[in-house]
Amino acid sequence: MHLEHDPAMRDAQRSAPDPTAELRKADATRHRRVTADGLAARFGGRWVEVSGGPESRASDREAATAAALTEGHDFIWGATLPRDPRSGRRGTIDLLVRSGAGYVPVLVVRHKVTDPGTGARTSPLAELDHVGGRPDSARKVRPQPRDQLRLAHTRRLLQAAGFADERSAFAGVIGMDGDAVVWHDLQAPTWPGGRTALAEYDSRFADRIAVATAAATGTPALAEPSRIVECRSCPWWPVCEDALVKTRDVSLVVRGEDAGMLRSAGVTSVDALAGIDPYDTDVPLVGMPVADAVGLARAWLADLTVVRRTQTIDVPRADVEVDVDMESFGDAGAYLWGVLLSGADIGEPRGYRAFVSWEPLPTDDEARSFAEFWRWLTGARKAAADRGLTFRAYCYNELAENRWLLASAKRFAGFPGVPRKREITQFIESDEWFDLFGSVREHFLCSQGKGLKTIAPVAGFAWRDPEAGGENSMRWYRDAVGLDGDEPVLPQRTRLLEYNEDDVRATAALRAWMTSPAVHDIPYVGDI
Ligand code: SF4
């Protein structure tokens, strides 16, 4: 809010849009379109769409929405509400549903809005105009605060335009499953401290207006940068990073809440944090032990990317070793499982191989490549066991691999060669599956993050492709399979395979280095 309203920032350099976020946005747009088309077909003449084309001006869309509201259509899709000159509010909403003498807002989102349980108020889509719904015996609400705040914003706009249903403050969300509307009562005390969604929204809105006004008028700033997880995908990061480095801000080495706690304790800079005796301080941190925070501050000052957190380093090895890396495309599927076999002979060629589907996701061909991968892995484990050899498969940050191992078994249950979920769970929980990320977290402090692309170069590994990275791989995938209906670009397939191969070679290099004497060249945190 501050940067966007500070006139001095008008020409400031910003980061390019985050490709992963862009992908998610495109997926969400598609999801909304499919939902709208289904509802339009269901409700026929009761449904009107006012969104206009991509070229239409906001003022035209506002006028079209105002006309649709006045005409009293039952369902208005793609509304741009008339802006409220008194508050400065403006905004769009997916759907307005006629209710009493006014309207209620409904959002269409591509995330889960309920969990199994009871107590949510829902209406089936066929009864979309049954505002407030009835208690659902199979679902409980996932609060999704951002959804509720967006709905509260629209309610205030509707009130300003004189089109709110003042008998109640219900607002709906149609989630990823798209089979029902979940109704939130924006006046119910469901927020922390017994606040309502509307009260929370009003207070945040007032805060934002104050921040924006201070920025626009040049009075002392009411907001300052502090590094948080969201900075990674924020376009303002170049500006904020510059400011944080200038003041050597403590958030450069600890994140979010911990930076706030340190500032409250008077520790505002990396230098001050580095000077703390971790064994003689009562500064409480939630994200990491104080000793690690101090170690990271000292590493940052010494310009070290990585320091050893422990005197000795232990990574379990095996006679037969396999490094595994999976490539997925958003939530659409896992199209590539790459493996690198090394160690004792088990009658299989050593080296890299890939199990891949080049049919654009989503596709059942993914079941075929997943089944082939699983058959190979199971075969390698058995071949090692038959020879009396120990076996271990390694990955880097098992969250992604585990998610897709389990999801693939579930989605493709019954396809030839696809294992049961129980079989996957047994493997994941066994000693034969090892997450190297856990070892890095245990044994190192990394001032630039613990991603494989950061830590493997410390072990002497380099990717062949200078642009290798998860975000770029998404773009390459689009081209490789012709996702947008274009001709597939075959060299991008080679590029993805080399990228995946280098990822598994990186984990192999990392564990070899972590179990070699060379790892002791990395300074121990107690010595800096
Ligand atoms: S880069 Fe981080 S601190 Fe700066 S505006 Fe974005 S989220 Fe806020």
Side-chain angles (χ1 to χ4, degrees):
M1 282 313 271
H2 176 90
L3 293 171
E4 279 178 8
H5 291 85
D6 181 349
M9 289 294 143
R10 227 160 256 157
D11 299 323
Q13 193 211 339
R14 301 178 210 183
S15 321
D18 173 26
T20 319
E22 295 292 298
L23 269 178
R24 269 195 220 114
K25 253 191 238 168
D27 288 346
T29 303
R30 265 195 295 275
H31 174 69
R32 277 199 298 275
R33 189 65 261 164
V34 169
T35 307
D37 290 347
L39 291 171
R42 187 190 292 264
F43 292 113
R46 300 173 66 198
W47 181 272
V48 65
E49 181 160 344
V50 293
S51 50
E55 303 299 321
S56 62
R57 289 182 313 173
S59 55
D60 294 341
R61 294 195 298 272
E62 283 177 31
T65 303
L69 287 165
T70 308
E71 285 160 16
H73 294 277
D74 286 344
F75 304 104
I76 302 173
W77 177 261
T80 301
L81 284 148
R83 61 187 67 199
D84 173 15
R86 277 185 311 153
S87 66
R89 278 188 191 91
R90 57 198 165 94
T92 60
I93 186 75
D94 299 319
L95 179 62
L96 293 170
V97 174
R98 185 158 179 81
S99 174
Y103 283 85
V104 297
V106 174
L107 270 176
V108 177
V109 296
R110 202 173 157 277
H111 50 245
K112 285 178 89 88
V113 296
T114 57
D115 284 309
T118 55
R121 296 192 71 91
T122 64
S123 310
L125 289 192
E127 296 168 28
L128 183 54
D129 51 355
H130 185 198
V131 171
R134 57 181 80 85
D136 194 314
S137 58
R139 303 179 230 227
K140 68 174 183 191
V141 166
R142 244 191 213 203
Q144 301 289 17
R146 285 169 72 119
D147 292 350
Q148 292 194 47
L149 293 172
R150 285 180 65 192
L151 292 167
H153 181 79
T154 310
R155 173 153 179 97
R156 291 293 186 234
L157 273 167
L158 280 168
Q159 285 178 313
F163 283 102
D165 178 2
E166 292 296 354
R167 297 169 307 167
S168 66
F170 279 114
V173 187
I174 300 173
M176 193 156 71
D177 299 339
D179 61 342
V181 197
V182 176
W183 296 102
H184 293 284
D185 180 354
L186 303 178
Q187 268 168 342
T190 51
W191 284 61
R195 290 195 306 280
T196 68
L198 280 168
E200 179 71 24
Y201 164 79
D202 287 341
S203 121
R204 291 193 191 197
F205 185 74
D207 186 46
R208 284 174 161 236
I209 291 287
V211 169
T213 306
T217 55
T219 52
L222 296 178
E224 288 180 339
S226 180
R227 192 176 65 116
I228 53 172
V229 176
E230 285 82 353
C231 294
R232 258 190 240 148
S233 54
C234 177
W236 289 104
W237 177 240
V239 173
C240 293
E241 183 183 27
D242 200 37
L244 294 170
V245 169
K246 262 192 201 120
T247 55
R248 303 165 77 82
D249 189 84
V250 72
S251 70
L252 287 166
V253 293
V254 297
R255 288 217 189 116
E257 220 178 328
D258 281 345
M261 290 171 115
L262 284 165
R263 284 196 201 98
S264 306
V267 182
T268 59
S269 69
V270 179
D271 309 71
L273 177 58
I276 285 181
D277 176 354
Y279 304 102
D280 185 24
T281 177
D282 51 6
V283 177
L285 296 184
V286 290
M288 64 174 74
V290 176
D292 285 357
V294 172
L296 273 173
R298 290 177 185 171
W300 192 87
L301 292 180
D303 211 11
L304 293 168
T305 315
V306 179
V307 291
R308 260 184 306 128
R309 193 170 168 263
T310 54
Q311 295 270 22
T312 56
I313 288 180
D314 176 36
V315 176
R317 304 291 301 266
D319 301 325
V320 178
E321 297 181 322
V322 174
D323 293 274
V324 178
D325 187 44
M326 172 276 317
E327 308 295 339
S328 60
F329 184 72
D331 292 330
Y335 64 90
L336 167 59
W337 292 88
V339 293
L340 179 74
L341 174 66
S342 54
D345 180 31
I346 53 167
E348 276 282 329
R350 293 190 192 87
Y352 173 76
R353 62 181 296 174
F355 303 90
V356 61
S357 168
W358 293 123
E359 280 188 15
L361 291 168
T363 166
D364 284 351
D365 190 48
E366 188 193 339
R368 192 251 328 135
S369 61
F370 176 66
E372 284 175 8
F373 157 70
W374 188 256
R375 197 175 306 124
W376 183 89
L377 187 70
T378 310
R381 291 165 71 194
K382 183 169 182 315
D386 289 349
R387 288 166 171 77
L389 299 167
T390 56
F391 176 95
R392 203 161 258 125
Y394 300 85
C395 66
Y396 198 80
N397 203 347
E398 64 183 353
L399 280 180
E401 271 74 16
N402 288 355
R403 174 193 166 189
W404 285 107
L405 282 169
L406 291 164
S408 305
K410 188 174 170 198
R411 284 180 309 145
F412 299 124
F415 279 75
V418 169
R420 286 174 179 275
K421 196 174 153 205
R422 195 180 49 218
E423 203 181 324
I424 300 276
T425 308
Q426 278 168 357
F427 169 67
I428 287 173
E429 289 174 355
S430 77
D431 286 345
E432 292 193 344
W433 184 228
F434 191 83
D435 183 5
L436 214 51
F437 178 70
S439 298
V440 167
R441 199 169 40 197
E442 182 184 347
H443 296 299
F444 298 108
L445 293 174
C446 309
S447 63
Q448 310 283 327
K450 298 184 188 74
L452 188 59
K453 302 288 179 307
T454 309
I455 189 80
V458 181
F461 186 83
W463 274 258
R464 276 171 284 180
D465 195 323
E467 293 174 23
E471 288 164 8
N472 279 341
S473 78
M474 301 264 192
R475 283 199 213 106
W476 302 342
Y477 176 77
R478 272 186 177 282
D479 298 341
V481 300
L483 201 63
D484 302 317
D486 304 330
E487 270 303 295
V489 183
L490 300 185
Q492 294 294 58
R493 296 186 181 180
T494 311
R495 199 174 191 185
L496 282 166
L497 289 169
E498 284 182 357
Y499 163 63
N500 181 259
E501 177 178 353
D502 282 359
D503 272 1
V504 286
R505 290 198 183 280
T507 56
L510 184 59
R511 59 188 166 73
W513 172 74
M514 285 175 74
T515 47
S516 77
V519 76
H520 293 283
D521 294 344
I522 298 292
Y524 171 56
V525 67
D527 297 334
I528 58 173

